[in-house]
Amino acid sequence: MKIVTWNCNGAFRKKFEHISDFNADIYIIQECENPAECRHPKYQEWAENYIWIGDSKNKGLAIFARPEIELKKLDWSNKFKDHYVKHFLPCKINQDFDLLAVWTHRNNSPNFGYIGQLWKYLQVNKDKLNTTIIAGDFNSNTRWDEWDRWWNHSDVVNELKELGIESLYHNYTGEQQGAETNPTLYFQRKLERPYHIDYVFGAQRFSDRLKKVEIGQVDKWLGISDHMPVLCEIDDRKMKNDTPTSAIANAG
């Protein structure tokens, strides 16, 4: 099973063929158009099996899957106390496991922007997170932790770890949060401003069977988006038994 997350930086209708080269089973795409409202026949044909959310038909969050994969949108709450956080898109894959697509926003919050949005979402839905993959653009990194906050990136990572959910990239490479050697974003497409802010987190059943983690190469992708795609390949043939699969390839 191949899963790719990518912030396409808009105009996905013109870019989906590039990401298709991964031949993935599931794509989590941020900043993409709603296929149902996009007048682009090839994009609509490609987007045969998907779910999408967004504030604008031109820029939202979507999960695309192969036609034979069942996607069932889940009714998880995005309401924290008296307000809503965004964007989070949960679904069930083949009645087997849950996938939570993420594209965090500032959401007009002076304190709880970006990773704070995810922290709030976790507080509301923590009881649902078990055999789950969480993937997307977090807009966050441990390097930006602030000492007087309890919703920092590191706090979210620790809360997920308590639930048995960890970053597949970090488990695979052995790198520490905040010390990543493979950027996923070049801010304003400048090589001198690299950051690692896109992630795939997974429960132990996925990390035990992780075959490959790959981050797109800058020379191929920077002309298409400021974000690099992140690919995780998992040996789903062994999901039904307890035999772990060892990692067999290095990160790209």
Side-chain angles (χ1 to χ4, degrees):
M1 178 177 64
K2 293 182 180 180
I3 297 176
V4 171
T5 180
W6 184 43
N7 186 319
C8 69
N9 198 210
F12 188 56
R13 68 190 183 281
K14 301 178 181 179
K15 303 176 180 180
F16 68 90
E17 291 175 329
H18 295 281
I19 203 73
S20 297
D21 289 344
F22 281 109
N23 195 31
D25 301 284
I26 298 170
Y27 298 93
I28 299 102
I29 306 295
Q30 301 87 42
E31 297 196 22
C32 63
E33 303 94 330
N34 182 356
E37 298 184 73
C38 180
R39 296 179 181 179
H40 196 286
K42 287 187 177 180
Y43 176 41
Q44 291 182 327
E45 181 181 354
W46 182 84
E48 182 178 355
N49 184 23
Y50 75 95
I51 51 178
W52 181 96
I53 60 170
D55 295 330
S56 161
K57 66 179 183 179
N58 297 317
K59 191 171 286 189
L61 171 65
I63 300 170
F64 301 94
R66 293 186 184 276
E68 65 272 17
I69 293 176
E70 181 186 2
L71 297 177
K72 180 182 179 183
K73 187 176 179 181
L74 297 172
D75 188 23
W76 293 6
S77 175
N78 64 342
K79 186 176 182 180
F80 182 87
K81 296 184 178 179
D82 61 347
H83 59 278
Y84 294 92
V85 296
K86 66 179 184 181
H87 284 301
F88 304 98
L89 178 56
C91 74
K92 186 168 287 294
I93 306 293
N94 285 338
Q95 297 297 317
D96 181 30
F97 66 90
D98 295 340
L99 170 64
L100 174 61
V102 173
W103 177 27
T104 65
H105 280 235
R106 183 174 294 279
N107 202 22
N108 296 319
S109 175
N111 297 314
F112 285 86
Y114 301 123
I115 196 63
Q117 297 285 293
L118 179 53
W119 182 86
K120 287 183 175 183
Y121 189 84
L122 292 180
Q123 308 317 303
V124 177
N125 296 290
K126 195 178 296 186
D127 61 326
K128 304 179 184 70
L129 298 173
N130 39 61
T131 56
T132 307
I133 288 177
I134 305 172
D137 179 1
F138 286 28
N139 277 306
S140 180
N141 189 284
T142 289
R143 293 184 180 185
W144 301 327
D145 285 355
E146 297 186 26
W147 69 269
D148 59 343
R149 292 182 175 178
W150 62 92
W151 63 92
N152 281 320
H153 185 93
S154 296
D155 298 311
V156 169
V157 170
N158 289 334
E159 285 203 31
L160 289 173
K161 187 174 182 179
E162 291 175 1
L163 299 171
I165 299 172
E166 298 186 85
S167 167
L168 299 186
Y169 170 88
H170 294 86
N171 282 358
Y172 184 69
T173 63
E175 296 176 1
Q176 298 299 310
Q177 292 278 344
E180 300 86 1
T181 59
N182 292 289
T184 67
L185 169 73
Y186 292 88
F187 186 65
Q188 296 179 337
R189 303 199 185 191
K190 295 180 179 180
L191 293 176
E192 64 272 21
R193 302 190 71 179
Y195 302 100
H196 191 108
I197 65 171
D198 302 88
Y199 304 88
V200 180
F201 280 71
Q204 186 174 350
R205 66 179 287 196
F206 303 108
S207 57
D208 283 349
R209 293 156 177 83
L210 186 62
K211 294 175 63 180
K212 181 180 182 181
V213 175
E214 177 181 333
I215 294 177
Q217 298 297 319
V218 64
D219 57 349
K220 176 179 179 180
W221 292 98
L222 194 58
I224 305 171
S225 173
D226 51 354
H227 287 253
M228 305 299 104
V230 180
L231 164 72
C232 289
E233 185 174 352
I234 299 162
D235 189 354
D236 61 344
R237 294 172 300 177
K238 297 188 177 183
M239 286 290 192
K240 294 183 180 180
N241 61 49
D242 296 323
T243 304
T245 299
S246 300
I248 63 172
N250 293 323

